[in-house]
């Protein structure tokens, strides 16, 4: 929760909440307005999106975007930028096999998948991990020299860029049609680890998910925005829009690559 300091209204804070009923951990925050908001009652807006980025081991960037019709929303849209430390002593519930059956043996399985099976290129460790109550995604990029040396999108076509673990937790009133192409976002009977490949179909770009143990077996092809960017960092996050609450957007940044995928509900 973003809030004003009660004693000094000129200072901002972020209150982190953990275990239900436990007191929050409140940390100081810096809040910056970027751009001019203009007429917020215009017919074409605003749409509001939230981006959470863990840019440092102990810090989080929260970006609240108020005008997101432009193509490059993070650079061209007016926004509120919040920077705050992560909580250090927040009371919470440990995720373990007894607390969450879906997590049973997850870390050991992930390490076995990462380091115990041959793949085209050795992956970079540790992975990027994102857990939400509606979707869970883990991304491990390969150390693919063709990706490292890519200068344009054409250099990425047909390249394996990493593997992912993807799960979407359907609510009781959801049906199997809510699970995206080929049910790829739904809990599966087998472990949902996939090889990730960039492909082009009829001039459109897709992220192709194939079986990790059999890359020739295609599971799904998801429409995506893929760009080559000079960056050595790695990020993963889901951006939600109040205008499209059922279409959260997954954004993954790997060294040299940015990928944006809509998660179909």
């Amino acid at each position: 929760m973003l809030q004003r300091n009660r004693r000094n209204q000129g200072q901002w804070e972020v209150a982190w909440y953990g275990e239900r009923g436990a007191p929050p951990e409140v940390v100081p925050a810096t809040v910056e307005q970027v751009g001019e908001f203009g007429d917020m009652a215009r017919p074409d807006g605003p749409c509001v999106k939230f981006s959470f980025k863990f840019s440092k081991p102990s810090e989080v960037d929260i970006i609240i975007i108020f005008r997101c019709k432009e193509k490059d929303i993070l650079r061209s849209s007016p926004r509120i930028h919040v920077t705050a430390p992560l909580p250090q002593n927040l009371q919470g519930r440990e995720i373990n096999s007894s607390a969450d059956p879906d997590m049973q043996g997850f870390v050991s399985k992930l390490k076995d998948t990462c380091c115990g099976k041959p793949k085209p290129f050795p992956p970079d460790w540790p992975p990027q991990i994102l857990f939400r109550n509606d979707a869970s995604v883990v991304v491990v990029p390969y150390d693919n020299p063709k990706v490292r040396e890519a200068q344009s999108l054409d250099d990425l076509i047909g390249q394996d860029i990493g593997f992912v673990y993807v799960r979407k937790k359907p609510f009781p009133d959801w049906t199997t049609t809510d699970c995206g192409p080929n049910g790829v976002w739904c809990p599966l009977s087998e472990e949902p680890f996939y090889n990730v490949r960039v492909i082009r179909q009829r001039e459109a770009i897709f992220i192709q998910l194939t079986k990790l143990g059999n890359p020739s077996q295609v599971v799904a092809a998801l429409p995506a925005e893929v760009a080559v960017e000079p960056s050595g960092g790695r990020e993963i996050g889901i951006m939600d829009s109040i205008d499209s609450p059922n279409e959260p957007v997954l954004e993954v940044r790997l060294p040299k690559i940015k990928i944006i995928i809509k998660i179909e509900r």
Side-chain angles (χ1 to χ4, degrees), residues 2-265:
L2 180 65
Q3 61 190 31
R4 293 275 192 180
N5 183 289
R6 292 183 179 181
R7 296 181 179 180
N8 186 344
Q9 290 295 307
Q11 294 182 357
W12 289 91
E13 300 172 332
V14 170
W16 296 90
Y17 288 84
E19 181 68 15
R20 179 174 298 179
E25 182 175 340
V26 181
V27 297
T30 60
V31 178
E32 177 189 13
Q33 176 180 326
V34 181
E36 297 295 330
F37 293 108
D39 182 8
M40 300 299 286
R42 280 169 35 187
D44 62 343
C47 72
V48 180
K49 294 189 177 182
F50 299 88
S51 173
F52 292 81
K53 179 176 68 173
F54 297 93
S55 55
K56 297 179 181 179
S58 59
E59 191 174 85
V60 62
D61 285 338
I62 306 170
I63 302 176
I64 307 170
I65 305 166
F66 287 92
R67 180 77 60 194
C68 38
K69 303 299 181 183
E70 295 85 353
K71 184 177 181 179
D72 194 344
I73 57 178
L74 286 180
R75 293 178 182 171
S76 60
S77 296
R79 60 196 183 274
I80 297 293
H81 185 191
V82 181
T83 303
L86 292 171
Q88 300 299 314
N89 302 296
L90 187 65
Q91 296 183 41
R93 177 171 59 89
E94 182 180 359
I95 298 178
N96 53 42
S97 58
S98 60
D100 188 346
D102 288 341
M103 289 296 295
Q104 189 170 17
F106 173 77
V107 174
S108 61
K109 290 180 180 179
L110 182 61
K111 289 185 176 180
D112 289 343
T113 304
C114 161
C115 308
K117 297 181 180 179
K119 289 173 287 297
F121 307 97
D124 187 13
W125 190 266
Q128 300 160 277
I129 300 177
L130 172 66
F131 289 135
R132 302 205 330 177
N133 59 355
D134 60 342
S136 300
V137 183
V138 179
V139 179
V140 180
Y142 296 146
D143 185 20
N144 184 340
K146 292 186 177 180
V147 174
R148 287 200 316 265
E149 299 166 4
Q151 300 297 316
S152 68
L153 181 58
D154 289 338
D155 296 332
L156 296 179
I157 302 301
Q159 293 299 316
D160 296 317
I161 61 176
F163 77 78
V164 296
Y165 166 96
V166 290
R167 275 280 178 91
K168 196 188 74 168
K169 302 177 182 179
F171 289 98
D173 57 344
W174 286 2
T175 67
T176 54
T177 58
D178 295 315
C179 296
N182 297 352
V184 71
W185 298 110
C186 285
L188 306 175
S189 57
E190 55 189 283
E191 294 179 2
F193 290 98
Y194 304 109
N195 180 73
V196 181
R197 182 178 299 148
V198 180
I199 64 171
R200 178 182 280 124
Q201 293 182 354
R202 298 179 181 178
E203 301 306 315
I205 300 300
F206 288 79
I207 292 297
Q208 188 182 71
L209 303 183
T210 68
K211 288 290 185 180
L212 190 61
N214 182 12
S216 63
Q217 183 178 349
V218 177
V219 176
L222 308 175
E225 295 180 26
V226 182
V228 176
E229 295 186 344
S231 171
R234 297 185 299 159
E235 302 169 11
I236 183 172
I238 291 180
M239 187 175 294
D240 295 290
S241 171
I242 60 173
D243 290 338
S244 304
N246 293 324
E247 295 183 352
V249 176
L250 173 68
E251 180 171 329
V252 179
R253 290 177 181 262
L254 306 175
K256 295 295 287 283
I257 305 176
K258 179 177 73 173
I259 304 169
I260 298 177
I261 309 171
K262 280 189 177 181
I263 301 178
E264 299 184 12
R265 292 287 175 87

